[in-house]
Amino acid sequence: MHGIPKGLVFAIYYPILAAIGVPANLAVIVILSRGRCGLSRCITYYLVSMAVTDLLLMITAVILNRIAGIYFPFSFLSLTPVCSFCVSLIYAIIDSSAWLTVAFTFDRFVAICCQKLKLKYCTKETAVRVIGTVSMLSCLKNSFLYFIYEPLYIINNVPFFCGITSTFYTSLVWAAFDWIHCILTPCLPFILILLLNALTVRHILVASRGRRRLRGHSSEIQSDPEMEKRKKSIVLLFAISGSFILLYLLFFITILYVRIADVTYFSGSNLTESTFILEEVGYMLQFLSSCINPFIYAGTQSKFREELKYGVKYPLSVIVKLVKS
């Protein structure tokens, strides 16, 4: 960002991100909810819930927080109580998004590697319970963040903006909460997704070698229907979890750097330019991950592409008919 005003980069980047992310996630919610993409109800529930959290993150973090903060710095959203609530809500949505990705990864791990457990665990009822639990716990955990902020400015007895209170850095209770908050998101989800994918890859490689040995005795040359059946699910799993790992990597590194180097969170002039850039680019990539999944579905699922094409063509055909009539 050297030579380019940072404010200009943010002012361009976030509106573009919102313009892509909001309609893309809305399209995913509508298309997957129709249940015509050839995916199981269990997978569909997880993907729709992930799309909902991504859409909420686009609305709260990108539009109401970043874009509103850039273009309307002294709006209603800048009032300290509103600002504190919005920040708590944003972190709750980020937690939900991360842990729903873990839940989806674990569900696919069970489906691929644990055939006995698959029938009991990989059901729509389990998916609903897991999604509800993740959402509830994320909101409960991040509700405490509301109390760590204080006004940065008081203008005519009206508090504006959110600054982290000094007691946050001196209180042992807040220090413990901060470490728990850091471990639960993003450290633990990041590690779990890496671990589950590694175990899934190992199982696939072992199973593939075993099936090739068994089928090597057969003189018939034909495709393996079992492996073909799993292929799309595996590609979807690795694409979603892989994009999460790549786009959350810098955010993960930033969290570790803040703890190891004992750097305070963003507080205006207390943050060096290099640390500010590291932190903000981490957030930019994190928010980008919320509009990547729709493109993954379009790239890996042929039926999703067909539904998307139909969704685009249908209103156009209606307009053409109206014009002709």
Side-chain angles (χ1 to χ4, degrees):
M1 292 184 186
H2 292 290
I4 303 174
K6 293 186 288 291
L8 179 61
V9 174
F10 301 145
I12 295 173
Y13 176 78
Y14 287 117
I16 292 174
L17 192 64
I20 297 172
V22 171
N25 282 296
L26 277 173
V28 168
I29 294 168
V30 172
I31 291 172
L32 292 180
S33 298
R34 289 163 61 88
R36 299 180 181 179
C37 294
L39 300 170
S40 69
R41 295 291 295 276
C42 177
I43 295 177
T44 301
Y45 278 32
Y46 281 117
L47 297 186
V48 169
S49 67
M50 290 160 64
V52 169
T53 56
D54 288 341
L55 176 63
L56 290 175
L57 194 60
M58 285 288 110
I59 294 170
T60 56
V62 176
I63 296 175
L64 297 182
N65 184 276
R66 290 301 200 265
I67 296 176
I70 292 170
Y71 291 99
F72 310 101
F74 283 93
S75 67
F76 168 76
L77 296 169
S78 301
L79 296 175
T80 301
V82 179
C83 173
S84 301
F85 174 77
C86 287
V87 172
S88 303
L89 181 60
I90 288 168
Y91 276 104
I93 295 169
I94 289 173
D95 276 17
S96 294
S97 179
W99 280 100
L100 285 174
T101 305
V102 174
F104 171 73
T105 305
F106 182 74
D107 178 86
R108 292 301 86 201
F109 165 76
V110 171
I112 295 168
C113 306
C114 310
Q115 293 301 307
K116 291 183 179 179
L117 184 59
K118 176 182 176 180
L119 295 177
K120 293 183 179 179
Y121 184 82
C122 299
T123 63
K124 64 179 183 179
E125 291 80 13
T126 301
V128 170
R129 285 195 292 267
V130 169
I131 292 165
T133 302
V134 166
S135 302
M136 183 176 62
L137 291 178
S138 296
C139 291
L140 179 63
K141 165 180 169 273
N142 289 282
S143 63
F144 295 101
L145 291 176
Y146 180 86
F147 302 101
I148 72 171
Y149 295 103
E150 62 182 6
L152 281 179
Y153 307 103
I154 296 179
I155 303 172
N156 297 326
N157 293 323
V158 178
F160 280 95
F161 304 111
C162 294
I164 295 177
T165 179
S166 58
T167 57
F168 181 79
Y169 299 106
T170 57
S171 169
L172 291 177
V173 174
W174 280 123
F177 173 82
D178 189 38
W179 272 104
I180 294 170
H181 182 79
C182 166
I183 291 169
L184 290 178
T185 307
C187 297
L188 192 55
F190 194 88
I191 293 168
L192 285 175
I193 289 173
L194 279 174
L195 178 62
L196 289 170
N197 278 325
L199 292 174
T200 303
V201 169
R202 178 178 175 275
H203 177 85
I204 291 169
L205 292 175
V206 171
S208 297
R209 285 197 294 267
R211 292 182 69 83
R212 279 199 297 269
R213 283 197 299 268
L214 289 173
R215 293 173 64 82
H217 300 292
S218 175
S219 59
E220 298 179 5
I221 301 175
Q222 57 183 5
S223 62
D224 188 338
E226 180 63 23
M227 294 307 295
E228 289 296 325
K229 182 180 177 181
R230 292 186 180 184
K231 185 177 178 181
K232 289 184 179 181
S233 178
I234 292 168
V235 169
L236 182 63
L237 165 65
F238 289 162
I240 292 174
S241 56
S243 69
F244 176 90
I245 290 169
L246 289 175
L247 294 174
Y248 267 70
L249 180 60
L250 186 58
F251 181 66
F252 178 71
I253 293 171
T254 303
I255 292 293
L256 294 180
Y257 172 71
V258 166
R259 298 313 186 285
I260 295 170
D262 196 25
V263 178
T264 59
Y265 293 101
F266 173 60
S267 55
S269 59
N270 291 338
L271 207 65
T272 64
E273 180 160 341
S274 59
T275 309
F276 174 80
I277 292 173
L278 178 67
E279 184 180 48
E280 281 303 314
V281 172
Y283 282 124
M284 290 166 75
L285 292 177
Q286 184 187 48
F287 297 149
L288 177 62
S289 70
S290 293
C291 69
I292 289 295
N293 284 351
F295 298 96
I296 290 175
Y297 304 150
T300 60
Q301 304 294 311
S302 58
K303 290 186 178 180
F304 182 88
R305 288 195 298 273
E306 291 173 6
E307 288 292 311
L308 184 60
K309 289 176 183 176
Y310 174 79
V312 172
K313 289 179 180 179
Y314 180 75
L316 292 177
S317 63
V318 171
I319 293 171
V320 170
K321 288 179 180 178
L322 290 174
V323 171
K324 287 182 178 180
S325 62

